[in-house]
Amino acid sequence: MSHIRLIFGFHAITSRLRQNPASIKEIFLDAERRDQRARDLAKLAETQEVRLISCDNTRLAAMAGGARHQGVAANIDASRSYVDIDDVLDTLTEPALLLVLDGIQDPHNLGACLRVADAFGVHAVIAPKDRAVGLTATVHKVASGAADAVPYVSVTNLARTLRELKQRGISIIGATADSDIDLNSVKLEGPVAWVLGAEGKGMRRLTREVCDRLVAIPMLGSVESLNVSVSAGICFFETRRQRAAQEAAGRPAIKAAAAPA
């Protein structure tokens, strides 16, 4: 069985270039893209001695099969693991926007969360290695290409990873039904990592304790909880809405701080 797979998007490809360039067979870049982002990727590919192929947007669209490709795609050896959260964060040109999933064991839920993450420009999805479904074939199918477009970071100790994110200036916000703080009343400025647990069970105690804030999505009907992917979509919509308003007001959000020396 072939392990060669196509991935799309600058974040996913740049992260792999930095972490595991040997796993990249070739990169396809839109010939019309001459912006700084494209130039930086081309320079990095040259430094890592990875073949870069210039092509038109029509070819990229056909390769992507409807997925959002951002003008760049790459053939990669999917049998090799590659993503580290520091490599993702170090490539960002805007404040970090992360999704942290605690205890998601349903592959359909994870696949749907990856689609939400891709739709809202989330830079990475983070999940623990234990008590989590991981990137199975079902996840890839449900995600409809998003599993290759959004970096998926599997970590050994989720609480420790969240503390490390806080050291980099990223706000850790947990979504939970039992919080007294309403999503509509929260200012979402700067780098943010949203933490969501499994439907019904929610986040584990230690994960909750690491969060800077716990926030509830306002519910007006009779149901007590939403599917985790629906909750993620609401949280990221509000985050992107506030960021757009801040930029329109001339107050660009602050980038994440560099890793401590």
Side-chain angles (χ1 to χ4, degrees), residues 50-66:
V50 174
R51 183 186 182 200
L52 185 69
I53 300 172
S54 181
C55 63
D56 59 34
N57 186 67
T58 302
R59 182 181 179 186
L60 280 168
M63 294 166 64

Side-chain angles (χ1 to χ4, degrees), residues 143-167:
S144 301
D148 293 320
V150 181
Y152 180 84
V153 183
S154 184
V155 299
T156 303
N157 188 314
L158 186 59
R160 181 173 61 202
T161 297
L162 292 177
R163 287 191 288 267
E164 291 171 352
L165 293 178
K166 292 170 74 169
Q167 290 177 352

Side-chain angles (χ1 to χ4, degrees), residues 1-103:
M1 179 180 177
S2 174
H3 291 290
I4 302 302
R5 182 178 290 128
L6 204 63
I7 65 173
F8 312 100
F10 281 91
H11 294 306
I13 294 172
T14 301
S15 296
R16 185 175 280 266
L17 265 174
R18 291 181 179 276
Q19 181 68 11
N20 193 355
S23 70
I24 304 178
K25 302 302 180 182
E26 60 221 347
I27 297 173
F28 302 88
L29 183 63
D30 187 345
E32 296 298 318
R33 287 208 59 153
R34 298 184 177 90
D35 54 281
Q36 188 62 47
R37 204 176 192 188
R39 292 196 298 270
D40 288 344
L41 185 138
K43 183 178 180 180
L44 183 59
E46 181 182 4
T47 301
Q48 302 288 14
E49 299 182 347
V50 174
R51 183 186 182 200
L52 185 69
I53 300 172
S54 181
C55 63
D56 59 34
N57 186 67
T58 302
R59 182 181 179 186
L60 280 168
M63 294 166 64
R68 188 179 64 170
H69 56 73
Q70 297 182 316
V72 63
N75 275 324
I76 57 101
D77 181 353
S79 66
R80 306 187 184 191
S81 61
Y82 72 103
V83 178
D84 179 88
I85 188 59
D86 287 329
D87 290 282
V88 173
L89 296 175
D90 289 343
T91 67
L92 299 185
T93 57
E94 65 173 341
L97 187 59
L98 307 173
L99 171 59
V100 181
L101 298 173
D102 186 20

Side-chain angles (χ1 to χ4, degrees), residues 1 3 5 7 12 16 76-83 99 101 104-115 117 124-155:
M1 179 180 177
H3 291 290
R5 182 178 290 128
I7 65 173
R16 185 175 280 266
I76 57 101
D77 181 353
S79 66
R80 306 187 184 191
S81 61
Y82 72 103
V83 178
L99 171 59
L101 298 173
I104 306 301
Q105 299 185 17
D106 185 329
H108 293 86
N109 281 342
L110 177 56
C113 283
L114 287 166
R115 292 184 68 177
V125 174
I126 302 171
K129 291 180 180 178
D130 298 328
R131 293 183 293 277
V133 62
L135 295 180
T136 66
T138 300
V139 171
H140 277 277
K141 182 178 181 180
V142 174
S144 301
D148 293 320
V150 181
Y152 180 84
V153 183
S154 184
V155 299

Side-chain angles (χ1 to χ4, degrees), residues 224-246:
E224 295 182 357
S225 65
L226 298 171
N227 177 274
V228 61
S229 64
V230 175
S231 297
I234 294 171
C235 294
F236 286 118
F237 176 85
E238 178 60 17
T239 305
R240 284 295 185 188
R241 186 195 67 79
Q242 290 196 27
R243 285 190 177 184
Q246 291 162 19

